[in-house]
Amino acid sequence: MRRLLAIYPTLLRVGFASALAYRAELLVWMLTTNLPLINLALWSAVAREAPVHGYGTPEFVAYYLSTQVVRLVTSAWVVWEMTTDVRQGVMAMRLLRPVHPLLDYSAENLAAVPLRAMLALPIAVILVVLESAHLSHDPFTWACVPLLIAGGWAMTFLVMSIVGTLAFFVESAGSVFELWLGLYAVFSGYMVPLAFFPHWLRVVADVLPFRLLLGVQVQAMLGQLSHADIARAFALQALWIAGLFVAVRLLWNAGVRRYAAYGG
Amino acid sequence: MVHVRELSKVYRVHQRPPGLVPAFKSIFHRAYRNVPAVQSLSFDIGPGERVGFLGPNGAGKTTTLKMLAGLLHPTSGSALVNGFVPRERSVGLLKSITLVMGQKQQLLWDLPPAETFALNRAIYEVPPAQFQDTVRELSELLELGELVNQPTRQLSLGERMKCELAAALLHRPKVLFLDEPTIGLDVAMQLTVREFVRRYNERYGATVLLTSHYMEDVRALCPRVVVIDKGRLLFDGAIEELVKSVKPNKRIVLKLSRPVDGADAARFGEVMEHEPSRIELDVRPDQLQAAVAGALASLPIADLVVEDPPLEDALRELFRRSRTDGADSR
Amino acid sequence: MLRYLRLVGIQVRASLLLAMQYRVEFVVQGFAGLFWSAATFVPLFVVFGKRPSVAGWSFGQALLVLAFFLLLRSLLDGAVNPSLVQVVEHIRQGTLDFVLMKPADAQFLVSTAKFDPSALSGTFGAFGLFGWAFWKTHHAPSPGGVVIALLLLAAAVALLYSIWILVVSSAFYVVRVDNLSYLFTSIFDAARWPASVFRGILHFVFTFVIPLALMTTYPAEALLSRFTWSDAAASIGGALAFAAVARLTWRGALAKYTSASS
């Protein structure tokens, strides 16, 4: 553990330098996350005639801008990195170092978050200037939002690591992640506010983990969550993180064994 | 430092005949075949030794190196590197070895090599003072200069290889596995790399196991060679021993003051090369004295040298024999 | 001409072989394709669950737009994007030289470099949608409308391809733009909605800068007999102009590449 604390800052620093070197790419990548804005245009058109489920145009603006911000800062890209590393044999190089490759990946991905946050800042500013009336006014909630975002990022990273580790077993795990993304889009509230779902679908969304990645953060920002709701979200996030952590460790060990048996 | 006992590795390879229909079938059912890559290999390397690891393409060299580095698990047999069992991939092992592959790189592509150095310093937990020393020494030995501050993608292949070596040796590993470190480099750069490996070995007493297709690398660097083909050990010993045992005949190189007829020279041994002013003869060791005396007496000789046949010839002969033997025993 | 057709055949075959090589991915991608087609409906249902019409389009009419979107989307994923990824990789690794050395038109070679057969499963979904849409709208398209729609569809494909060429050309100028294709795909996503949904600056952008309206909304309007021949002629003219610009840009980019590479 002490060893880790000694190494991690340097990993983060180099990761940050990397992120800076790829800033143009990062910017283009972040521009691809524009679905909330398209959805915003769509729902505004719908709401022009009459509000939907109590959402008028301003509510939609607040919702989708918040969605955009949360999505931008909770992203990671380990899956794609791991699958290409395994395919191109770079994983061998990573395995040769006396530091766990997943730790290495986590630093690289984490180091890009500040840059992402910076690029997301303009949207956040527009959000606050335009729609402060529709945002939460509770300081405690706002104190919790960054933590909820951190939890969401950790869950995203762990899931991505699990799918990325699959690359040890199947030729390309990238498309498995596409399935995950599809479910995420629907059940996290990314496409449509979860409040618009029929009751039974909302129950399903509550059970699934996707809401904890984006939905709860957005709802907290919009002041739709009570303190009890927030506490519950934290507890669920913690449970998922613990479970995913165990899962990724087991899968990783099995994956490396297989990699060593078959060669890269 | 490196102990290898009966080490074997068998790959399971997916078989598929060409064409669309078999491709479609293979989605549901796959045929496999076992391919032995390394077969009960045994050798020992002492501390500070420089050993050349030779064999034709596909002989199992890289597989063996990867097993020694802990990247591949042996199917059977055992290996011990610096007191560690490689397959356990303990931090202690990883910190005491390095693997340089001429065709793969660890340098971060869009950042200057200095960043990779800093990263490796942290990962390998090199104390700052030692890091400074090592960087200074390596920069000096490899003449890195300002290269380390340019993005890696802007470096030439040779410059990149130098930085790659530096990055791989920052933690002062005790054991160096070098897999084709000079591939694609020009002659001058090959010489630099070769010289560098030798100096590193001498300064730190590190053990070096090197594969290369450039015999010049091996001849210049490695007093001892381990030769394998089709995963089996063919030879282990000094280069001169290899040449002596496989190609015991000597070469007499004659420089002539005027051209002579081939038949005149053939009296003293088999003519390997014949140019107007130069003849190379292949002579059995017991006839060497007579041949030299006879040639000196009867031919217009400007200069005469007796030497061993080239390493390449000895290797070619060794592989040829192992393959015909293999065919016989089958 | 025949030679080029044969070349395409060979590339398609190689892509098929490759796709089946990665068997898990092949199956998963087939599923993912179907899944995404299905997921396309979700927002539509949610929106029209609340309203009989949105921005002047009924559910059935919007289905038509979606059908054109799905058709073009599977074309994009199956025939356009895989090649794009390939070219960008070529440029990055400096192996484009091999392509340029071959005795055939470079633009042709790079645009047929790779196909993704599993993505073409989406086209079936598109045809199903057409049927559903006509059943919903109780409107059989007029023969003239069908002709205009087909012409516009051809123009849409030309447009899609031209945009693709523009993206590839930009890869010569900027290093590492492999994600530009994702950027375009994500913007293209807006084409699933009738263009009248978008107002203000977005409306202008999607009509003139990235003419998404022409690709899905106009053909749908043609099938609904809301589009005249003169409108169609203007649209097709626009698409042709776009294609010409793309070809010129490609040439310029290639000239720059060949003079700059060492």
Side-chain angles (χ1 to χ4, degrees):
Chain A
M1 195 62 203
R2 280 231 342 262
R3 212 183 132 234
L4 200 135
L5 286 178
I7 295 178
Y8 213 68
T10 310
L11 293 183
L12 281 178
R13 199 188 59 70
V14 175
F16 190 70
S18 254
L20 272 182
Y22 294 125
R23 57 196 177 278
E25 209 184 24
L26 192 68
L27 182 66
V28 174
W29 188 246
M30 289 179 68
L31 288 175
T32 64
T33 311
N34 52 27
L35 193 57
L37 300 182
I38 302 239
N39 279 331
L40 176 56
L42 171 73
W43 284 102
S44 302
V46 179
R48 268 199 295 273
E49 289 150 32
V52 187
H53 277 289
Y55 276 64
T57 304
E59 282 84 1
F60 277 121
V61 172
Y63 185 87
Y64 282 114
L65 289 186
S66 312
T67 305
Q68 178 88 45
V69 171
V70 174
R71 171 82 173 131
L72 285 178
V73 293
T74 53
S75 296
W77 68 89
V78 237
V79 188
W80 298 287
E81 207 180 2
M82 284 175 80
T83 45
T84 46
D85 280 359
V86 170
R87 206 169 15 206
Q88 301 182 348
V90 182
M91 193 54 99
M93 286 293 189
R94 288 184 180 268
L95 283 169
L96 272 177
R97 297 177 177 173
V99 59
H100 201 293
L102 282 177
L103 211 63
D104 211 356
Y105 286 123
S106 76
E108 277 172 37
N109 279 261
L110 200 57
V113 171
L115 220 56
R116 284 171 177 275
M118 235 172 65
L119 294 170
L121 196 64
I123 302 168
V125 169
I126 295 173
L127 172 66
V128 172
V129 169
L130 281 184
E131 304 295 339
S132 59
H134 296 94
L135 295 177
S136 168
H137 293 290
D138 174 33
F140 174 78
T141 303
W142 278 107
C144 290
V145 166
L147 293 174
L148 283 171
I149 287 179
W153 184 88
M155 280 178 72
T156 306
F157 178 81
L158 287 170
V159 169
M160 281 192 162
S161 315
I162 288 177
V163 180
T165 307
L166 286 180
F168 284 128
F169 301 93
V170 294
E171 275 95 347
S172 174
S175 27
V176 176
F177 194 73
E178 307 244 316
L179 284 180
W180 164 273
L181 269 186
L183 291 169
Y184 167 87
V186 174
F187 288 106
S188 68
Y190 183 57
M191 296 283 279
V192 179
L194 291 175
F196 289 16
F197 283 6
H199 179 71
W200 65 271
L201 210 57
R202 240 178 308 166
V203 173
V204 174
D206 265 346
V207 177
L208 294 173
F210 305 100
R211 209 173 62 93
L212 300 169
L213 303 176
L214 180 119
V216 290
Q217 292 85 342
V218 170
Q219 282 184 303
M221 287 164 77
L222 299 179
Q224 297 174 349
L225 293 189
S226 68
H227 291 182
D229 290 335
I230 292 177
R232 208 169 74 92
F234 274 134
L236 283 173
Q237 277 190 340
L239 275 179
W240 273 102
I241 289 172
L244 291 170
F245 185 76
V246 172
V248 79
R249 292 216 58 155
L250 293 176
L251 195 66
W252 174 268
N253 290 340
V256 171
R257 262 202 306 281
R258 195 191 136 94
Y259 189 65
Y262 288 86
Chain B
M1 253 349 226
V2 178
H3 305 281
V4 176
R5 284 287 163 277
E6 302 284 312
L7 199 65
S8 298
K9 178 76 198 175
V10 179
Y11 288 116
R12 215 158 69 108
V13 179
H14 168 215
Q15 298 272 144
R16 205 195 63 198
L20 266 185
V21 176
F24 187 68
K25 275 188 190 150
S26 79
I27 294 180
F28 305 102
H29 176 77
R30 293 197 156 189
Y32 291 94
R33 187 168 61 100
N34 284 335
V35 177
V38 173
Q39 303 184 54
S40 66
L41 200 60
S42 300
F43 58 85
D44 289 289
I45 301 176
E49 262 197 280
R50 295 190 304 260
V51 177
F53 195 31
L54 304 179
N57 288 333
K61 300 185 300 274
T62 303
T63 301
T64 308
L65 285 190
K66 281 189 168 178
M67 282 196 278
L68 293 179
L71 290 173
L72 279 177
H73 291 181
T75 312
S76 66
S78 68
L80 211 59
V81 174
N82 196 24
F84 298 98
V85 176
R87 61 177 293 162
E88 288 167 5
R89 299 189 357 90
S90 64
V91 171
L93 170 83
L94 296 178
K95 280 188 176 180
S96 64
I97 63 168
T98 199
L99 172 63
V100 176
M101 295 188 264
Q103 321 206 26
K104 301 224 169 95
Q105 60 163 1
Q106 64 161 327
L107 294 173
L108 300 166
W109 183 246
D110 286 284
L111 293 182
E115 291 289 351
T116 310
F117 293 176
L119 186 68
N120 279 6
R121 187 196 76 70
I123 288 178
Y124 287 97
E125 297 171 278
V126 184
Q130 186 193 327
F131 175 72
Q132 298 295 340
D133 282 355
T134 318
V135 168
R136 190 158 4 90
E137 276 178 32
L138 293 177
S139 304
E140 210 177 285
L141 284 174
L142 289 165
E143 294 158 19
L144 294 181
E146 281 305 300
L147 291 182
V148 296
N149 296 320
Q150 287 171 31
T152 304
R153 62 161 191 276
Q154 293 173 3
L155 302 178
S156 73
L157 181 63
E159 293 169 338
R160 214 152 66 210
M161 196 61 222
K162 291 203 290 187
C163 294
E164 192 74 33
L165 274 172
L169 297 175
L170 276 178
H171 58 292
R172 292 192 191 161
K174 295 258 186 316
V175 183
L176 275 55
F177 298 118
L178 308 176
D179 193 8
E180 301 282 353
T182 53
I183 198 156
L185 302 184
D186 64 38
V187 178
M189 197 58 84
Q190 281 180 26
L191 204 68
T192 310
V193 169
R194 213 179 284 154
E195 202 45 41
F196 169 73
V197 171
R198 185 214 300 285
R199 289 219 210 146
Y200 182 88
N201 157 268
E202 280 164 1
R203 186 167 307 184
Y204 298 106
T207 308
V208 177
L209 186 58
L210 163 117
T211 78
S212 178
H213 280 114
Y214 300 112
M215 284 309 124
E216 214 36 61
D217 285 347
V218 178
R219 212 181 344 246
L221 266 181
C222 309
R224 175 182 162 198
V225 291
V226 170
V227 185
I228 64 170
D229 187 21
K230 303 206 160 162
R232 289 181 193 282
L233 185 74
L234 294 186
F235 179 85
D236 180 358
I239 290 193
E240 305 88 72
E241 282 303 315
L242 170 65
V243 175
K244 206 178 283 173
S245 70
V246 179
K247 284 254 176 194
N249 290 4
K250 291 283 180 183
R251 289 288 164 90
I252 304 178
V253 183
L254 305 173
K255 293 240 172 79
L256 304 169
S257 49
R258 60 179 164 77
V260 296
D261 192 31
D264 288 340
R267 286 182 287 147
F268 307 110
E270 192 186 342
V271 178
M272 304 303 287
E273 276 174 48
H274 188 183
E275 292 159 30
S277 65
R278 187 173 171 282
I279 286 184
E280 213 177 306
L281 296 172
D282 193 67
V283 181
R284 286 202 354 236
D286 55 330
Q287 293 171 349
L288 182 64
Q289 209 176 352
V292 171
L296 280 173
S298 62
L299 297 175
I301 287 170
D303 186 23
L304 182 149
V305 183
V306 178
E307 55 186 30
D308 286 329
L311 183 55
E312 285 87 341
D313 286 6
L315 280 177
R316 209 177 301 130
E317 175 66 19
L318 191 63
F319 296 143
R320 192 188 60 76
R321 270 191 223 166
S322 90
R323 300 210 163 185
T324 46
D325 288 357
D328 290 345
S329 65
R330 225 164 269 159
Chain C
M1 196 60 214
L2 206 65
R3 172 160 159 263
Y4 280 91
L5 270 179
R6 205 160 44 228
L7 278 175
V8 174
I10 291 169
Q11 302 275 34
V12 169
R13 187 168 174 278
S15 299
L16 257 176
L17 280 175
L18 196 74
M20 285 190 281
Q21 179 95 67
Y22 295 104
R23 53 181 173 166
V24 174
E25 192 168 14
F26 187 69
V27 174
V28 171
Q29 267 181 354
F31 271 114
L34 288 176
F35 183 82
W36 275 111
S37 315
T40 326
F41 303 126
V42 175
L44 202 73
F45 277 126
V46 178
V47 171
F48 282 94
K50 320 292 172 200
R51 294 290 145 74
S53 86
V54 173
W57 290 73
S58 73
F59 177 64
Q61 292 165 340
L63 272 182
L64 267 184
V65 177
L66 192 64
F68 277 110
F69 169 75
L70 212 55
L71 194 63
L72 289 174
R73 175 67 199 262
S74 53
L75 212 65
L76 185 70
D77 285 346
V80 176
N81 268 341
S83 302
L84 174 68
V85 173
Q86 198 92 342
V87 185
V88 173
E89 200 53 31
H90 273 317
I91 296 175
R92 219 164 65 77
Q93 300 190 344
T95 44
L96 189 72
D97 299 346
F98 294 126
V99 178
L100 298 181
M101 296 230 348
K102 291 192 180 132
D105 183 62
Q107 187 181 338
F108 171 82
L109 282 180
V110 298
S111 25
T112 57
K114 202 177 167 202
F115 296 90
D116 181 0
S118 63
L120 294 173
S121 63
T123 41
F124 298 114
F127 286 109
L129 270 187
F130 279 120
W132 190 15
F134 288 124
W135 181 70
K136 265 308 224 206
T137 51
H138 307 292
H139 174 93
S142 67
V146 173
V147 173
I148 299 180
L150 284 177
L151 281 175
L152 283 173
L153 189 64
V157 174
L159 259 181
L160 205 60
Y161 178 68
S162 307
I163 292 177
W164 177 82
I165 285 293
L166 286 174
V167 171
V168 172
S169 305
S170 71
F172 286 101
Y173 297 99
V174 206
V175 236
R176 291 191 65 100
V177 280
D178 24 349
N179 44 26
L180 271 183
S181 70
Y182 291 99
L183 180 59
F184 176 64
T185 309
S186 72
I187 293 173
F188 182 69
D189 225 42
R192 75 173 66 205
W193 302 107
S196 56
V197 161
F198 303 103
R199 291 278 169 96
I201 181 141
L202 277 183
H203 183 74
F204 176 81
V205 168
F206 290 156
T207 310
F208 298 106
V209 185
I210 310 170
L212 297 182
L214 199 158
M215 295 188 200
T216 56
T217 308
Y218 292 0
E221 293 202 53
L223 286 184
L224 295 168
S225 313
R226 301 206 288 216
F227 216 68
T228 62
W229 284 97
S230 55
D231 290 341
S235 303
I236 292 167
L240 285 178
F242 213 91
V245 169
R247 173 79 188 175
L248 283 177
T249 311
W250 161 261
R251 289 216 141 145
L254 202 62
K256 178 182 178 293
Y257 175 83
T258 40
S259 63
S261 67
S262 51

